[in-house]
Amino acid sequence: MKTFTNNKMLKRMLLVLLVCSLIAGTLTACGSKKKTGGITTFTVGFDAEFPPYGYKDDNGEYVGFDLSLAEEVCKRNGWELVKQPIDWDSKDMELASGTIDCIWNGFTMNGRESDYTWTTPYIDNSQVVIVKSGSAISQLSDLAGKVVQADSSALAAFTGDDATEENLALAKSFASLQQVGDYNAAFMNLESGSVDAICMDMGVAKYELEARGSQFRMLSEQVSKEQYGIGFKTGNTELRDTVQDTLYEMLADGTFESIAKDWGLEESICLSADNKVNDVTEDKASGSFVSNFADVVGKLASGMLATLGIFFLTLVFSLPLGMLLMFIR
């Protein structure tokens, strides 16, 4: 009779432990159901030679407007920011492999709209031309027969698939059009007279002109207009939406503008509440029932695995305890 009572008590103890493990597993599964899949780090891929958006300062630290924005986004979401300098030519491979979570570095959306899952544009930017202060070049048409160097975005504005007829014709009139990725080298070439003009993003141009004094000037006529966005791997709307919503929170409380002022880019801000709904919900609205169902099933499966794992560990640790109690009794 006593043995029967002991067995009955042991079964009750195991039943209680099982129920507790199921509850804990359910809470764990629900708790891990975050908008971003429970990430703890956020890795930003950027070009470390693209001031003021991202670069290495005199102290050897990676800084810049985009990195400051990313720091605030991570702070508000409880993430650790990982600043990952990348070879710009390998950015797509880095993103596809998961080495980085996004490309955030004055990243031009124009012509790449279908290549990434984008946030709404947050900065308006234009391609501008820089010449020496004493140059006779005063407008774009004066570049005919000249040697011009351009960064990748400016080169696309002159020769890309989306280049205007005017820019295509202008590029053909140059004596030479060369691509340059090192802005220091570009300004050295311009100063030495080996090139007549350099073309680049307005944000970079303003930063460089302020740093270099009155040696150079910017033409008032612009080559093209473009917008910057944050590029995520195609289909990664979950993480994109979280980052986007955080940027809008920063816009609403003035933090976004404050950071832009710190980097002299307040006049270039184009992020506004008016375009929030259309962009952030666009992919959700177009999502199919099958993809939504698959997402739900995946999350349920993840919760089930967590529950089974906790149940298994409970059994492993509770059986010896149960045997010990039975032996004592």
Side-chain angles (χ1 to χ4, degrees):
M1 182 68 180
K2 194 170 184 179
T3 302
F4 175 78
T5 302
N6 290 340
N7 290 338
K8 188 174 182 181
M9 183 176 296
L10 178 60
K11 290 179 180 178
R12 287 179 178 176
M13 289 175 60
L14 290 175
L15 181 61
V16 170
L17 289 172
L18 175 60
V19 171
C20 289
S21 68
L22 289 173
I23 293 174
T26 302
L27 292 175
T28 301
C30 293
S32 63
K33 187 180 177 183
K34 297 180 181 178
K35 290 188 291 183
T36 58
I39 70 169
T40 57
T41 60
F42 182 56
T43 304
V44 172
F46 68 101
D47 180 357
E49 297 181 352
F50 195 62
Y53 300 96
Y55 64 100
K56 183 180 287 188
D57 66 9
D58 294 336
N59 298 320
E61 299 292 331
Y62 292 120
V63 298
F65 170 62
D66 285 338
L67 295 179
S68 294
L69 290 178
E71 286 175 353
E72 182 65 22
V73 167
C74 287
K75 178 181 176 182
R76 297 189 181 210
N77 285 283
W79 302 335
E80 176 188 354
L81 174 62
V82 178
K83 303 174 183 178
Q84 183 60 56
I86 58 174
D87 179 354
W88 199 245
D89 292 334
S90 303
K91 60 184 179 297
D92 293 338
M93 182 182 67
E94 299 276 5
L95 189 62
S97 65
T99 306
I100 58 176
D101 292 313
C102 69
I103 303 170
W104 193 346
N105 189 215
F107 195 24
T108 304
M109 301 175 66
N110 305 66
R112 301 185 176 118
E113 289 83 357
S114 60
D115 296 336
Y116 307 89
T117 291
W118 291 99
T119 61
T120 50
Y122 62 99
I123 287 290
D124 268 329
N125 194 53
S126 302
Q127 297 301 318
V128 296
V129 174
I130 306 297
V131 298
K132 293 177 70 172
S133 295
S135 172
I137 299 172
S138 60
Q139 54 189 4
L140 294 181
S141 59
D142 294 335
L143 294 172
K146 306 298 184 182
V147 178
V148 179
Q149 285 189 333
D151 66 9
S152 58
S153 297
L155 189 67
F158 282 124
T159 63
D161 295 335
D162 296 327
T164 63
E165 294 295 331
E166 292 81 2
N167 283 344
L168 289 172
L170 180 61
K172 289 181 179 179
S173 74
F174 297 161
S176 175
L177 176 60
Q178 308 163 359
Q179 183 173 359
V180 61
D182 185 339
Y183 296 104
N184 286 324
F187 276 93
M188 288 176 61
N189 293 337
L190 183 58
E191 184 177 9
S192 67
S194 59
V195 300
D196 299 297
I198 51 179
C199 185
M200 62 186 65
D201 296 345
M202 178 182 284
V204 178
K206 285 183 176 180
Y207 175 85
E208 294 289 351
L209 289 179
E210 183 176 349
R212 296 174 186 275
S214 59
Q215 302 178 65
F216 311 97
R217 59 182 173 84
M218 182 191 305
L219 300 188
S220 58
E221 194 176 358
Q222 298 173 353
V223 176
S224 67
K225 284 189 173 293
E226 61 184 29
Q227 293 179 317
Y228 288 161
I230 308 166
F232 294 82
K233 185 177 180 180
T234 302
N236 192 4
T237 57
E238 191 173 30
L239 183 56
R240 186 281 309 270
D241 286 354
T242 301
V243 172
Q244 181 69 88
D245 287 342
T246 308
L247 288 177
Y248 279 113
E249 291 173 5
M250 293 162 56
L251 182 69
D253 63 25
T255 306
F256 191 100
E257 184 177 5
S258 176
I259 293 175
K261 284 183 178 179
D262 290 340
W263 293 99
L265 295 170
E266 65 272 19
E267 296 180 1
S268 300
I269 295 174
C270 65
L271 187 68
S272 69
D274 295 337
N275 58 5
K276 176 181 179 181
V277 176
N278 291 337
D279 182 79
V280 175
T281 61
E282 181 179 0
D283 289 332
K284 292 181 179 178
S286 62
S288 66
F289 171 78
V290 175
S291 62
N292 291 334
F293 180 75
D295 183 57
V296 171
V297 171
K299 290 177 180 178
L300 288 175
S302 176
M304 183 179 295
L305 288 175
T307 301
L308 290 175
I310 293 175
F311 174 61
F312 176 76
L313 291 174
T314 302
L315 287 179
V316 170
F317 290 105
S318 64
L319 283 176
L321 178 61
M323 294 294 289
L324 177 63
L325 290 175
M326 183 177 69
F327 177 76
I328 293 173
R329 293 185 63 85

